[in-house]
Amino acid sequence: MTLRGRAAVTSPPSEADAASRLAARLRTTVLHPAPGARPSVYRAVGPDGRATRARLLEGEEEPPVLVVDAVEAPMEHLPRARVEVLTELSYEERREGR
């Protein structure tokens, strides 16, 4: 799902804030692109506001299905995702603590 604000929105929330609000409202985990990371790395935010990085891959089903392969911290709504450090993060991102 893609959400877009109307031009009348004077100060739209950041993508991370919008994802956090949506997760709380829907009571589920919401993914949004992680800034500066590889295309497969997303941020996952839970309904409680906790956020972590998540790896999103294309599954082998037909038609293709997107699968959350791994997360850096356990997420209640992503029980099949492995918990591991996502090695595709750059040295700079790790050093900056992103």
Side-chain angles (χ1 to χ4, degrees):
M1 168 176 22
T2 300
L3 300 176
R4 302 205 189 281
R6 289 189 258 158
V9 177
T10 55
S11 60
S14 67
E15 194 167 31
D17 190 40
S20 182
R21 291 179 190 182
L22 184 61
R25 181 78 172 178
L26 297 177
R27 297 185 197 135
T28 193
T29 299
V30 172
L31 300 177
H32 65 92
R38 292 188 178 196
S40 63
V41 179
Y42 280 70
R43 297 283 293 170
V45 60
D48 60 357
R50 286 185 321 114
T52 188
R53 287 192 175 82
R55 181 186 304 125
L56 189 64
L57 300 176
E58 191 172 297
E60 297 184 15
E61 296 85 5
E62 279 299 324
V65 174
L66 296 176
V67 176
V68 177
D69 174 64
V71 291
E72 288 193 321
M75 298 295 288
E76 177 183 356
H77 294 98
L78 301 172
R80 293 185 179 170
R82 293 185 317 248
V83 177
E84 62 183 48
V85 174
L86 300 182
T87 57
E88 53 267 69
L89 298 176
S90 70
Y91 171 77
E92 290 80 20
E93 288 175 305
R94 289 185 191 181
R95 191 179 70 201
E96 293 173 7
R98 289 197 274 161

